[in-house]
Amino acid sequence: QVQLVESGGGLVQPGDSLTLSCAASGRTFRTSDMGWFRQAPGKEREFVAAVSWSSFNKDYANSVKGRFTISRDNAKNTVYLQMNGLKPEDTALYSCARRTSGPVLSRISRNYDSWGQGTQVTVSS
């Protein structure tokens, strides 16, 4: 079993950058694919980015391509989401999770488990 804790969110202005962290505990992190999802009030949870256990494969939602970068440091049991050029529409609760079913880099939330509590990102001037 893996436990995940997100951090790094906050209130920023449009165009600013943030780096989110997802710290994992447990003994299966290094062989698990990881994903970032986000959910804004009144909207469904949406896929943001995913990375395979080896970091060889990555995928991004079209809305964040070119602005966000997902990475992981297995030695530190941590997954990161670097967010550049933040926009107001990026405002959401960001959560990380471990993929346990479906294909590598799945964009379907039900293919993930061990959800963290999330970290809030608010982009406003």
Side-chain angles (χ1 to χ4, degrees), residues 37-48 91-93 109:
F37 294 78
R38 67 187 183 186
Q39 187 169 23
K43 297 184 178 181
E44 295 184 353
R45 178 185 290 162
E46 66 174 348
F47 170 82
V48 177
T91 296
L93 182 70
S109 62

Side-chain angles (χ1 to χ4, degrees), residues 4-66:
L4 305 175
V5 179
E6 301 93 340
S7 63
L11 174 63
V12 298
Q13 296 181 335
D16 284 355
S17 298
L18 279 176
T19 299
L20 307 183
S21 298
C22 174
S25 62
R27 295 183 290 178
T28 61
F29 176 80
R30 287 176 173 79
T31 58
S32 299
D33 304 332
M34 302 294 295
W36 283 97
F37 294 78
R38 67 187 183 186
Q39 187 169 23
K43 297 184 178 181
E44 295 184 353
R45 178 185 290 162
E46 66 174 348
F47 170 82
V48 177
V51 59
S52 63
W53 70 271
S54 66
S55 296
F56 182 75
N57 299 115
K58 298 179 180 180
D59 190 32
Y60 301 92
N62 289 336
S63 59
V64 306
K65 285 183 178 179

Side-chain angles (χ1 to χ4, degrees), residues 10 32 59 69 71 114 123:
S32 299
D59 190 32
T69 302
S71 63
S114 300
V123 185

Side-chain angles (χ1 to χ4, degrees), residues 89-120:
E89 51 263 43
D90 294 320
T91 296
L93 182 70
Y94 285 72
S95 302
C96 64
R98 177 188 65 166
R99 187 187 66 78
T100 58
S101 63
V104 174
L105 307 184
S106 174
R107 296 187 172 194
I108 303 174
S109 62
R110 67 175 179 269
N111 291 150
Y112 294 78
D113 71 358
S114 300
W115 294 89
Q117 294 298 306
T119 184
Q120 179 68 37

